[in-house]
Structures are given as structure tokens and as C-alpha cells.
Amino acid sequence: MINQSHIIGTGSAMPERILSNKELEGIVDTTNEWIFRRSGIRERRISSNAKEESTTNLATKASVNALDMAAISPDELDMIVVGTVTPDRQFPSTACMVQEAINADKAAAFDVSAGCSGFLYALSVVNNAISCGTCKTALVVGVERLSSIINWRDRGTCVLLADGAGAVVVKARPNRGGILSNHLKSDGKFWEFLHASDGNTYLPATLKDVAKRPFHLKMQGNPLFKRAINCMSEIARDALVHNNLSTNDISLVVPHQANMRIIEALAKNIKIPMEKVYTNIHKYGNTSSATIPIALDEANREGRLMKDAHVLLVSFGAGLTWAASILQWTL
Ligand code: UT7
């Protein structure tokens, strides 16, 4: 019998520091009103070196919370996959750093880089490994510390992006339900719409190069906005058709939280009422690959995920990459 992948625990971890829109008014030429009206964001969390809120530490805290809920010991894990574009180091992977922190000695650990779709890509890798029988228990993490690559002089990005981590524990079980499907898409033609020039481990040749701040994230928001709506709507429909489901069968959509207007347009396109769409962008902003696992954890802890309910996860981000997963909740 082919094993199904079931989510048996969720967790998240946010930095302590809250940065409000009002405070951003003192940093760049912006207003609370503009940020909220154009994005739906009121505040976000920004990590601190002093508080030991590194990418690894945030990922570890989220993982420990997910493992606690799953009531399994880290040494039962045979795979750790982390979606991130802001690792603490170019190598080793964040997954290996988390492995050390939680003592998951038996796991194979590696990262995936798929922009804001990192968590859904990682979930797909784990689902496939479970289906093949090469893995029984896995940890999937989405974590970002975008504040480390934000250009705090660019009002087009610094008001949107933030830090945080979310994680799930996935277990092979013979019973039906769990992860029903993963759809993944990419289009490298448009990589320049959202990128960091040389990575955050860039070693400058001269001081002049440092002044250009080449590690900073650069985004062309407007063309991304339109593509995000189209790509997320299309892949959500593909996922529904693949599972022979209609939007009436979906109890909750947990979308990537990049912009409230994108989320509302997605809901309208796939004809699902906003009451069935989970959003927390107002308090966390866009944490890239972490938005979906953070929202999933909050929805789970708030009791929004009923047993056997169908849940649609859908993302879009740098690459470009986009993805959708349908779950039948069994936790
Ligand atoms: O995470 C996955 C990938 N990312 C996305 O999917 C993000 C997609 N894009 C977006 O969410 C939106 O495009 C933004 C929120 C980034 C921008 O909203 P927009 O409605 O597309 O605004 P815009 O870029 O067309 O800019 C409109 C105006 C411009 O001024 P002018 O040229 O009309 O005078 C901008 O300079 O708003 C100005 N502007 C701002 N004004 C105040 C841009 N940023 C700000 C700001 N405060 N922070």
C-alpha cells in the first residue's frame, strides 16, 4: 500500500520586535494609510541579532513547537527540508543547522530555494519521499529573515517584507487523507522581477562595491502583482480539477501573504468567499516562504481546520515560482 503524508504537528516562531507602519513613516517617505490601503499590512516582525533571532533560531523554535504538537522525538525524523532564501550562511544549509539544534541525528537535511513558494516546494519533496517509501517522518520548514537583505531606503519593498518561521511535521500513514496533491510551476524568464543581486554572502572587491549594496533585494512590484493573481488562480484551479473538487468542497484557503489585494483577487477568481480565506498579513507582512506555514499553524491553533476538511495552500514568488497543495486535514 502507498503511504499517505499526514501533517501531525504545526508550529511557528515570530521575532519579538513589532515594526508598525507609523514607525516606517520615520524611515522612508510613506504613510500608514498608503501601506494599509495598497497591501493590507499594519505591522510586521523584525528579527534582532541581540535576541538571537537568526534564521536558524527562528526555524528551530518553529520546529520545536511543531514537534511538541506532534508528540514525536527529533530522533524519529528521517528528513528535514527547509524553504528559505535568507539562510544564515551560504552553506551548510539551514536544515543542517536546525538538525544540530534539535538533535535529529538520523535525518537527511537540506534546503530548497524557491522564493515565496519554498515551503510548498519543500512539502512536495517530502510528500514524494514518503510516497516512495524513502522517508517516514519529516520536518518541513519555511523561514525567512528578509530584514537582512531589505534596502531600508526603498519604500517599494521595505514596507512589505519581514521575518518569521513556520514548520510542520509530516508522517507516513496508510490511512486516506493528508497531502492529496502538490502542483509546482516556475518561469525563470522573469527572475529579474524579484531578486537579490549577489546573495547575502557577497564578498565585495572594493569599498565602492559595498556602497552599491549589491545584496539588497530588488522588486518590480507592479508586474509581479498581475502575474501573482493569474498564476495563483490558475494553479489553484489545476489543483481542484486534479482532485475532482470544487471550491465548495474547500473549507479553508491558506494563501501566500504578499498583498491583501492579491489574496482578494485570487478569492474572486476562484469564486471562494473571503470568510474561507485565512489572512494574517495585517500583523506579519510578507515573510516569503514562511507565510503559509505560519498561517497554517495559526489557523490550526485557532481551530479553523476541522478533521477531514479540505484545505488549499497556494503560493507565488521569486523565480518566478508558484505552487498549490490540497490537504485533507487529519490532525
Ligand atoms: O511575495 C511574492 C512576490 N511579491 C509580490 O507578489 C508583490 C506584488 N506587488 C505588490 O504587492 C504591489 O505592486 C506593491 C504593494 C508592491 C505596490 O502597489 P502598487 O499598487 O502596484 O503601486 P505602484 O508600484 O504602482 O506604485 C504606485 C505609487 C507610485 O508613485 P507614482 O509613480 O504613482 O507617483 C510609487 O512610487 O505609489 C508609490 N509608492 C509608495 N508611496 C508611498 C510605492 N511605494 C510606496 C510607499 N509609500 N511605501
Side-chain angles (χ1 to χ4, degrees):
M1 174 180 275
I2 292 180
N3 272 322
Q4 278 292 120
S5 308
H6 293 263
I7 292 179
I8 60 162
T10 64
S12 57
M14 303 306 293
E16 264 179 47
R17 161 105 164 93
I18 297 173
L19 178 65
S20 68
N21 289 352
K22 264 276 169 253
E23 275 180 272
L24 275 165
E25 288 181 0
I27 299 173
V28 279
D29 180 15
T30 192
T31 60
N32 171 34
E33 192 271 333
W34 189 97
I35 301 170
F36 185 67
R37 187 164 48 82
R38 295 288 182 127
S39 71
I41 301 167
R42 287 210 183 276
E43 59 188 36
R44 73 284 293 136
R45 300 296 178 97
I46 300 296
S47 57
S48 139
N49 288 336
K51 294 204 163 72
E52 298 190 350
E53 293 170 331
S54 64
T55 296
T56 301
N57 287 347
L58 289 170
T60 299
K61 281 183 204 157
S63 300
V64 167
N65 290 338
L67 288 162
D68 280 352
M69 185 185 288
I72 68 152
S73 156
D75 61 18
E76 290 177 54
L77 293 172
D78 32 37
M79 194 172 273
I80 302 173
V81 189
V82 174
T84 188
V85 295
T86 46
D88 292 326
R89 300 174 171 73
Q90 192 168 13
F91 69 88
S93 65
T94 302
C96 284
M97 306 296 288
V98 171
Q99 171 177 36
E100 192 225 358
I102 63 174
N103 292 316
D105 294 342
K106 288 195 224 123
F110 56 97
D111 291 359
V112 298
S113 170
C116 305
S117 300
F119 176 76
L120 291 189
Y121 269 58
L123 194 66
S124 169
V125 170
V126 159
N127 185 36
N128 290 336
I130 286 178
S131 303
C132 295
T134 54
C135 167
K136 285 201 161 29
T137 312
L139 181 66
V140 184
V141 183
V143 57
E144 296 302 351
R145 205 179 177 207
L146 294 170
S147 62
S148 66
I149 56 167
I150 284 173
N151 177 356
W152 290 100
R153 286 181 222 155
D154 175 13
R155 66 178 182 172
T157 53
C158 76
V159 304
L160 305 171
L161 306 170
D163 306 339
V168 298
V169 178
V170 184
K171 194 163 181 59
R173 281 189 179 149
N175 44 316
R176 289 161 60 95
I179 302 174
L180 302 185
S181 67
N182 299 110
H183 285 69
L184 311 179
K185 293 252 184 182
S186 313
D187 190 347
K189 279 198 299 295
F190 302 107
W191 69 267
E192 277 188 296
F193 284 172
L194 182 51
H195 68 280
S197 298
D198 293 281
N200 53 352
T201 51
Y202 177 80
L203 287 179
T206 67
L207 281 179
K208 221 167 111 200
D209 292 337
V210 185
K212 288 188 213 147
R213 297 180 167 258
F215 51 87
H216 276 157
L217 177 148
K218 296 179 180 69
M219 182 172 88
Q220 295 175 43
N222 214 265
L224 274 180
F225 185 91
K226 290 167 200 156
R227 277 192 170 73
I229 294 169
N230 292 339
C231 293
M232 288 169 87
S233 304
E234 195 181 298
I235 206 161
R237 284 193 205 102
D238 288 350
L240 289 165
V241 169
H242 178 87
N243 290 287
N244 204 16
L245 296 171
S246 81
T247 38
N248 290 336
D249 301 313
I250 298 293
S251 298
L252 197 68
V253 181
V254 180
H256 172 49
Q257 316 273 316
N259 189 314
M260 195 63 185
R261 290 183 295 141
I262 293 176
I263 296 172
E264 284 167 353
L266 164 73
K268 195 171 164 212
N269 281 353
I270 64 169
K271 300 188 173 57
I272 196 146
M274 277 305 286
E275 303 81 71
K276 285 188 176 185
V277 181
Y278 194 86
T279 61
N280 57 11
I281 188 169
H282 58 286
K283 52 182 181 170
Y284 299 141
N286 180 352
T287 57
S288 185
S289 62
T291 65
I292 290 179
I294 293 168
L296 198 60
D297 181 47
E298 290 198 343
N300 184 27
R301 287 171 197 268
E302 287 165 17
R304 297 277 307 267
L305 301 168
M306 298 298 147
K307 201 162 169 50
D308 292 329
H310 287 109
V311 183
L312 168 66
L313 314 179
V314 55
S315 70
F316 174 85
L320 304 176
T321 58
W322 58 106
S325 296
I326 293 191
L327 317 175
Q328 191 172 5
W329 199 250
T330 47
L331 184 57

